[in-house]
Amino acid sequence: MGLLKMFKADVDVVFEQDPAARSYLEVILTYSGLHAIWAHRVAHACFKRKFFFLARVISQISRFFTGIEIHPGAKIGQRFFIDHGMGVVIGETCEIGDNVTIFQGVTLGGTGKEKGKRHPTLLDNSLVATGAKVLGSITIGENSKVGAGSVVLNDVPDNSTVVGIPGRVVIQNGKKVRKKDLDHHKLPDPVYDRLNHLETELEQLREEIKEAKGVK
């Protein structure tokens, strides 16, 4: 697909995904997510031709105006939609398929430990909701959804829904996945646990001191 046809497809998907879109003029002039995608299309074309500095400049200018940071090395398919978009970060080795949707505050990043392919792959028709973090060289399967605020560190199968910190599959192929550890609001509190442990130790010491002094 040529660049101009890809640009048109990027506009068309906005009307399919966003009920607030009213006219082509409004979408083309005011949608920062669309501007960021278009800038990336140009930056990525420069990157593939080894104009790395120019690609990076285009990327940074786009980041300044849109609040969306997409590394020019990221591979993005057709009909990619970024809703609102502020705070979105997409890493260098990300691979994004067709008809993928992400929302504001999403990070498709690395863990800082890998070399080579160190960012996620999002397959066709996947969706990543507001504020979710998808980290490392993992794959989000086709037709899968990542819930808002989730942190995903492992591969997600096709046709699945993932929620929580860390992300857990709760629906797969239309059926609920039952797990005992899905109470994501009950997160561990290491400070409380340590204080509780210290209090227990102090109580034991008090008892030992009383026994040593012969106090009943």
Side-chain angles (χ1 to χ4, degrees), residues 158-213:
D158 294 346
N159 308 305
S160 300
T161 298
V162 174
V163 299
I165 305 172
R168 307 285 187 186
V169 176
V170 294
I171 297 176
Q172 187 171 3
N173 296 317
K175 297 181 180 180
K176 290 185 178 180
V177 177
R178 297 188 179 276
K179 289 188 177 182
K180 295 180 180 179
D181 56 350
L182 288 177
D183 293 329
H184 303 290
H185 62 288
K186 298 178 181 178
L187 297 177
D189 186 340
V191 175
Y192 173 80
D193 292 342
R194 185 58 181 164
L195 289 174
N196 194 40
H197 180 70
L198 288 173
E199 185 176 355
T200 301
E201 287 187 345
L202 285 173
E203 188 61 34
Q204 290 175 350
L205 287 172
R206 290 192 188 100
E207 292 299 324
E208 290 176 5
I209 292 171
K210 287 180 181 181
E211 289 179 5
K213 290 182 176 181

Side-chain angles (χ1 to χ4, degrees), residues 61-122:
I61 291 173
S62 172
R63 177 179 181 271
F64 178 81
F65 283 106
T66 66
I68 299 168
E69 182 172 351
I70 308 176
H71 192 285
K75 298 176 181 178
I76 296 178
Q78 301 173 27
R79 297 168 58 80
F80 179 47
F81 179 53
I82 302 177
D83 197 0
H84 297 293
M86 179 61 69
V88 165
V89 177
I90 300 176
E92 178 182 7
T93 61
C94 276
E95 297 180 23
I96 298 175
D98 297 335
N99 300 302
V100 172
T101 299
I102 66 176
F103 291 78
Q104 67 269 23
V106 165
T107 298
L108 306 179
T111 63
K113 298 178 181 179
E114 303 102 335
K115 294 182 179 179
K117 180 70 168 76
R118 59 192 185 277
H119 298 105
T121 296
L122 275 60

Side-chain angles (χ1 to χ4, degrees), residues 44-63:
H44 185 65
C46 294
F47 190 87
K48 290 195 298 184
R49 290 166 176 78
K50 301 188 184 301
F51 298 127
F52 299 124
F53 178 73
L54 178 58
R56 195 69 181 191
V57 168
I58 295 171
S59 172
Q60 290 302 300
I61 291 173
S62 172
R63 177 179 181 271

Side-chain angles (χ1 to χ4, degrees), residues 7-23:
F7 280 5
K8 184 180 184 302
D10 291 332
V11 174
D12 290 339
V13 76
V14 173
F15 286 96
E16 295 177 15
Q17 298 284 352
D18 187 0
R22 294 180 177 83
S23 68

